[in-house]
Amino acid sequence: MLRLIFIGLTMAGINQDLQYLIKGGIILFACALDMRKYLVKK
């Protein structure tokens, strides 16, 4: 799924620097969501 997003960014012609920011934001969002699930279980 993540790979498809990255390929889509490249195909859309988005600047490489902006792609890094978007990729980092997606990864941070996924980690925060996962951490939230872990903290709710406790």
Side-chain angles (χ1 to χ4, degrees):
M1 181 77 147
L2 198 55
R3 192 61 163 152
L4 289 174
I5 294 171
F6 295 164
I7 291 170
L9 289 173
T10 303
M11 291 178 75
I14 295 177
N15 185 6
Q16 188 71 28
D17 293 332
L18 187 57
Q19 282 186 22
Y20 286 131
L21 288 174
I22 293 170
K23 290 175 187 179
I26 291 170
I27 293 170
L28 286 175
F29 177 74
C31 289
L33 193 63
D34 187 56
M35 192 184 323
R36 186 178 147 267
K37 281 194 259 183
Y38 172 74
L39 292 174
V40 168
K41 280 186 176 181
K42 277 190 153 184

